[in-house]
Amino acid sequence: KVKQISGYEFDWNNKQDIYEGHDIGVIAQEVEKVMPEIVRTNGNGFKGVKYEKLVPLLIESIKDQQQQIDELKKKLEEL
């Protein structure tokens, strides 16, 4: 799932008046394709990501990746 979304740098536009300046984030429509349960649509039709819900996914992805690294290390030690 993590491989299907990307991080982006962007500048906030004036279509909203809450945020401004340079920022980093993900695109809600991208996330929605993979995990629709963590995307919300506000009253104006703008989509937003519940970033706190990404954390468990990232933790499990890191654990999975570490397991793969450990398995590769073990195979190298056996050579």
Side-chain angles (χ1 to χ4, degrees):
K1 291 181 179 182
V2 172
K3 289 171 60 175
Q4 296 178 53
I5 59 177
S6 298
Y8 298 92
E9 291 187 40
F10 62 94
D11 294 309
W12 285 98
N13 61 28
N14 59 0
K15 293 182 180 180
Q16 50 78 45
D17 54 1
I18 298 173
Y19 304 104
E20 62 181 39
H22 192 72
D23 212 341
I24 56 173
V26 294
I27 295 177
Q29 290 83 351
E30 239 179 51
V31 175
E32 190 172 39
K33 291 176 185 175
V34 182
M35 297 167 286
E37 64 275 13
I38 69 169
V39 175
R40 66 184 184 288
T41 304
N42 70 17
N44 296 330
F46 291 106
K47 294 184 181 291
V49 176
K50 299 175 193 172
Y51 281 92
E52 71 278 6
K53 301 291 185 180
L54 280 174
V55 174
L57 177 67
L58 297 173
I59 290 170
E60 290 305 310
S61 296
I62 291 168
K63 287 166 51 178
D64 183 53
Q65 187 176 53
Q66 188 60 50
Q67 180 182 352
Q68 292 176 33
I69 291 168
D70 291 344
E71 288 172 6
L72 288 171
K73 281 182 177 179
K74 186 176 179 180
K75 286 181 183 180
L76 281 174
E77 289 172 357
E78 292 172 357
L79 293 178

